[in-house]
Amino acid sequence: MKTLHLVLKAKWYTMIESGEKFEEYREIKPYWDIRILEKNGKIKHFDTVVFSYGYTKKRMAFRCDGIRIGRGRIDWGAPKYDKVFIISLGERIY
């Protein structure tokens, strides 16, 4: 089972925890390219996504319904003009 671990600010963590937000975004930059892309440029497959509430021990996990590149919702934290990695969340695991 392959898991993607992401740290979130309180606002985004709370929105995901409440079910209001069901996708998370990461910039298309070398830092995230290394973690999300295969060497051939294809997007890696992840089974689960684990979110941390900042750098605390508070966590929640979701099934990963896929990652794609596109424009996200600005009110959910996506940049206005840039494309991002869009991490789609499925059922909450814990």
Side-chain angles (χ1 to χ4, degrees), residues 57-69:
K57 291 183 179 182
K58 186 175 180 182
R59 309 263 189 278
M60 62 182 165
F62 290 83
R63 189 181 74 242
C64 181
D65 279 352
I67 301 174
R68 67 187 191 285
I69 294 174

Side-chain angles (χ1 to χ4, degrees):
M1 180 178 277
K2 195 160 187 178
T3 302
L4 178 62
H5 295 269
L6 300 173
V7 177
L8 297 177
K9 291 182 178 181
K11 178 180 181 179
W12 310 126
Y13 188 95
T14 303
M15 287 177 75
I16 290 172
E17 186 176 44
S18 72
E20 179 182 349
K21 182 179 178 194
F22 46 85
E23 58 188 29
E24 176 58 20
Y25 310 116
R26 289 296 182 258
E27 296 178 320
I28 299 175
K29 298 219 172 177
Y31 180 86
W32 289 108
D33 290 350
I34 291 168
R35 287 151 182 79
I36 294 176
L37 297 176
E38 302 277 355
K39 292 189 187 232
N40 62 9
K42 290 186 180 181
I43 295 174
K44 293 178 184 176
H45 169 78
F46 291 94
D47 300 301
T48 57
V49 182
V50 174
F51 294 107
S52 300
Y53 183 89
Y55 290 96
T56 69
K57 291 183 179 182
K58 186 175 180 182
R59 309 263 189 278
M60 62 182 165
F62 290 83
R63 189 181 74 242
C64 181
D65 279 352
I67 301 174
R68 67 187 191 285
I69 294 174
R71 285 187 168 58
R73 291 180 52 167
I74 297 165
D75 57 327
W76 285 358
K80 190 171 185 176
Y81 299 108
D82 298 329
K83 289 186 178 180
V84 291
F85 290 111
I86 301 172
I87 303 154
S88 298
L89 307 177
E91 180 181 352
R92 184 170 177 174
I93 301 168
Y94 66 85

